[in-house]
Amino acid sequence: MLVAFLMGAAGLSAQEISFTATVDRNSIAVGEHIRLTLTLTNGGDRFDAPDLGRLVVVGGPQYGSRMSNINGRMSTAVTKTWIITATAPGKYVIGPAKATIARGSIATQPITIEVVKGAAGGDANAAQQQRANANIFCTVDLSKSKAMVGEQVLVSYTLYSRYGSLEPVAYDIPPLNGFWSEEIELGNITLDNVVAVNGIEYYKAVIKRQLLIPQRPGRLRIEAAKLTYRANVNWFGQGTKVEVVTNPVDFTALALPAGAPADFNGAVGELKLEATADRSSVTTDEAIEIRVRLSGRSNLKLLDAPKLGFPGDFETYDPKVVDRIAVTAAGMSGSREFQYTVIPRHEGRFELGPIGFSYYDPQAGAYRSLRSDPLTIEVAQGSGGGGAMVPRTSKSDVLMLDADVRYIRSGDLELRPKGRFLFWSWPWFAGMSVPALAFVLFVAWYRKHERESADEQGTRRRRADRVARQRLREAGTALQSGERAAFYSALSRALHGYLSDKFALGVAEVNTHELRERFAPFHGGQALAEDCARLLAACDMARFAPVEDRPRKELYEEAADLIQRIERTARA
């Protein structure tokens, strides 16, 4: 007996507990990866990642375990491995990781990592924003950093995200001071373009584009915008709220050079001029439509109507503006047409024009002047009876806003007899009895709550569904991020934990034989037991062997559906 005791004590002392943190290298360049491994020997598996400071996790954790038996001495080791990187040069420290063991805790030693500058190239703006938040950031880029007043500039908001799914909540974009802005339609925005920034892969999408036209010379600024999203939204939760702040952007607007022509009114770009009349021969008091069309690539929406020199005996009206303008990432282009309606009051031969218009060409760095051919109008004496009808502005309909007489109400006014009071009425009795009834109900609820709290197994059964949903959220997050080991580990914990809570079992007791016995009293219980066993086996096979017998999403949906079926069957 004494010999057996001494042998057991020797075996226990031989199981030394150790906890180590190792990296595959201590010096990297920006964008390169490091493999960090934590190993807990003979101490269980209760440990988490250390404080990584400003280092970024790009993969993991990957789980591993091993067991050995040397000369009758058992030894177990559990490992977790992360792939990490840095977004900027400098010295980084991986803090100590802590593991909880039976008699306290144990910690690893800190590790120092040297990061040097990487190879040049890539998007410098994205790399700078990445340092603020390596998981999600947004850049603001201009097509040019300086331009003439009136010249078109494209601004793009580009989102970089490592989350599997994102739902926009709010965009807080400050107003633009000193710019005329036009929104560019982007259609359906999807995060499906994968790019790498400093060795970290992101989903990339342009979420907003605007065409800006500076209105005054000087230094202008596009202030930082605040974007709010919900990340990793799934069936079992509302996801995580994340906020992104863009970078402010400075812009220089250059004044147009001196010496502008007299008919210049702010047009910048490339334009063509065309002037036409709908007829060249009319009678007095008959309307003529003169059309002046400016077309090309320019700030068309800001152009004013050219001033035409009509003869004094022509009655003229303000021009009607007809736009055929497209705003795209290539700029604002199309045409703006001014339609003038004029009515000659006397006969004769009249010449209109030539019509002139000037613009500034930023490509050539000079002003350009356009001139149309003159328009000749022959006006004959009319009959004097019927001039053309010119549309006038119509008056608004008169609306009845309210009546000015309020009639005296008559009929049953629901008056109460004099001397009728609340005291000793049924509302009085109801008000007096409600507090006492509420106190009795509270005492009954409190006693029921105390009985349920004392029933530990009952509490586990009642909370099994809620706890399972929380654990399934972890599996859903791993599914969205594509982490295979984390997904199967979380899904297995959710199923084992749910079944052990539902039937008051230990985790080791969740097996096919025990499940058949527990499900036997329920209608269709054998089928549920077989489905549970098959699903658990699929998770274990994927966890401990590189085999997946079905897609992960299908396995996740099957687990959620199985828990709901068990809940419905147990309540029936």
Side-chain angles (χ1 to χ4, degrees):
M1 187 69 176
L2 179 60
V3 174
F5 175 78
L6 293 175
M7 291 179 63
L12 290 174
S13 63
Q15 285 193 345
E16 297 181 356
I17 299 175
S18 64
F19 188 32
T20 60
T22 59
V23 292
D24 58 345
R25 48 184 170 165
N26 293 83
S27 178
I28 60 170
V30 171
E32 295 181 344
H33 296 165
I34 297 174
R35 183 180 295 271
L36 168 65
T37 302
L38 302 183
T39 304
L40 180 58
T41 304
N42 297 326
D45 60 357
R46 298 174 60 186
F47 62 93
D48 295 315
D51 181 8
L52 299 177
R54 291 181 294 114
L55 293 170
V56 181
V57 176
V58 297
Q62 299 175 352
Y63 297 84
S65 61
R66 66 177 183 271
M67 180 181 295
S68 61
N69 187 342
I70 302 176
N71 297 328
R73 295 181 178 179
M74 297 292 296
S75 177
T76 62
V78 177
T79 63
K80 293 182 183 179
T81 302
W82 290 266
I83 308 299
I84 58 178
T85 188
T87 60
K91 180 180 289 186
Y92 297 81
V93 176
I94 300 175
K98 293 184 179 180
T100 302
I101 56 177
R103 297 182 180 179
S105 62
I106 188 172
T108 63
Q109 295 296 320
I111 301 175
T112 301
I113 303 296
E114 292 283 348
V115 180
V116 298
K117 188 175 180 180
D123 190 340
N125 194 6
Q128 181 180 2
Q129 289 299 104
Q130 181 190 46
R131 297 168 191 167
N133 187 341
N135 290 322
I136 182 171
F137 58 91
C138 183
T139 62
V140 180
D141 300 286
L142 294 175
S143 58
K144 54 183 73 175
S145 61
K146 61 176 62 177
M148 308 299 295
V149 171
E151 190 176 354
Q152 303 179 51
V153 180
L154 179 68
V155 59
S156 301
Y157 293 76
T158 306
L159 183 68
Y160 297 79
S161 171
R162 298 179 65 201
Y163 295 104
S165 63
L166 278 179
E167 290 185 3
V169 176
Y171 288 173
D172 183 10
I173 300 179
L176 296 170
N177 295 320
F179 291 99
W180 170 283
S181 65
E182 287 286 335
E183 293 291 329
I184 297 176
E185 182 64 36
L186 296 179
N188 187 27
I189 299 174
T190 56
L191 286 165
D192 53 6
N193 184 22
V194 179
V195 298
V197 180
N198 285 332
I200 304 175
E201 290 191 343
Y202 293 91
Y203 296 104
K204 174 185 175 182
V206 176
I207 59 173
K208 183 180 179 67
R209 272 198 176 124
Q210 289 177 298
L211 191 66
L212 305 183
I213 300 176
Q215 298 296 289
R216 56 179 172 83
R219 185 173 180 177
L220 307 178
R221 165 166 281 209
I222 300 174
E223 298 293 346
K226 182 179 179 181
L227 316 176
T228 305
Y229 292 91
R230 284 204 172 273
N232 296 332
V233 178
N234 53 49
W235 295 342
F236 298 97
Q238 295 300 314
T240 304
K241 184 178 179 180
V242 294
E243 293 182 345
V244 182
V245 179
T246 66
N247 56 295
V249 179
D250 290 325
F251 175 81
T252 302
L254 305 175
L256 293 169
D263 55 1
F264 175 74
N265 65 4
V268 177
E270 299 175 2
L271 289 170
K272 294 181 180 179
L273 172 66
E274 182 182 3
T276 59
D278 64 342
R279 64 190 76 186
S280 59
S281 179
V282 295
T283 60
T284 55
D285 300 329
E286 188 175 0
I288 307 170
E289 186 174 81
I290 307 296
R291 299 179 180 178
V292 178
R293 186 170 181 265
L294 295 168
S295 61
R297 184 179 181 275
S298 177
N299 51 345
L300 292 168
K301 291 188 177 183
L302 302 180
L303 301 187
D304 295 328
K307 295 180 180 180
L308 307 187
F310 292 107
D313 48 3
F314 272 43
E315 185 176 349
T316 62
Y317 299 89
D318 291 337
K320 175 184 177 182
V321 180
V322 178
D323 286 336
R324 297 179 179 86
I325 301 174
V327 180
T328 66
M332 184 186 299
S333 60
S335 67
R336 167 164 279 197
E337 185 175 272
F338 303 95
Q339 299 177 357
Y340 300 82
T341 299
V342 297
I343 302 176
R345 296 305 185 188
H346 298 90
E347 71 276 7
R349 180 186 177 90
F350 300 92
E351 188 172 277
L352 305 179
I355 299 172
F357 188 86
S358 297
Y359 67 95
Y360 181 79
D361 185 351
Q363 299 296 327
Y367 291 99
R368 305 286 191 187
S369 295
L370 304 174
R371 293 291 182 270
S372 70
D373 295 331
L375 302 175
T376 302
I377 307 296
E378 295 283 351
V379 182
Q381 178 64 45
S383 60
M389 297 298 295
V390 179
R392 304 291 184 179
T393 303
S394 60
K395 295 182 179 179
S396 301
D397 294 334
V398 178
L399 303 177
M400 176 64 73
L401 299 179
D402 203 350
D404 59 353
V405 176
R406 301 277 183 176
Y407 293 98
I408 299 174
R409 181 179 176 184
S410 61
D412 183 11
L413 302 181
E414 299 181 359
L415 300 178
R416 293 184 298 173
K418 184 178 180 181
R420 185 174 178 181
F421 300 100
L422 175 65
F423 189 65
W424 291 111
S425 64
W426 71 265
W428 182 83
F429 283 107
M432 295 297 291
S433 59
V434 164
L437 179 61
F439 177 74
V440 172
L441 293 176
F442 172 76
V443 171
W445 170 84
Y446 182 77
R447 290 179 178 176
K448 180 176 178 294
H449 177 71
E450 289 293 316
R451 289 194 302 270
E452 291 178 350
S453 299
D455 183 8
E456 182 178 351
Q457 293 185 357
T459 301
R460 288 180 62 191
R461 285 193 297 270
R462 287 189 297 273
R463 296 181 178 177
D465 179 46
R466 184 175 61 186
V467 174
R469 286 198 302 268
Q470 294 174 351
R471 291 169 176 168
L472 278 176
R473 291 193 192 102
E474 300 177 8
T477 302
L479 175 64
Q480 294 290 341
S481 60
E483 299 178 4
R484 179 183 183 277
F487 168 74
Y488 284 110
S489 177
L491 190 63
S492 178
R493 287 199 305 271
L495 291 172
H496 278 89
Y498 172 75
L499 293 172
S500 62
D501 289 343
K502 194 70 178 176
F503 299 110
L505 299 172
V507 177
E509 295 177 310
V510 179
N511 52 60
T512 304
H513 175 72
E514 190 68 35
L515 291 176
R516 287 173 180 170
E517 289 189 358
R518 299 290 181 170
F519 279 108
F522 301 118
H523 176 70
Q526 293 302 316
L528 286 174
E530 295 299 331
D531 290 344
C532 288
R534 185 168 57 256
L535 196 57
L536 290 171
C539 289
D540 291 340
M541 177 64 72
R543 287 178 65 197
F544 302 111
V547 177
E548 295 181 87
D549 61 350
R550 72 192 80 173
R552 298 173 199 169
K553 185 177 181 181
E554 179 182 334
L555 203 65
Y556 176 81
E557 293 173 350
E558 183 178 343
D561 179 67
L562 179 61
I563 292 175
Q564 294 177 1
R565 286 166 52 199
I566 295 174
E567 287 297 312
R568 290 195 299 268
T569 302
R571 287 194 297 265

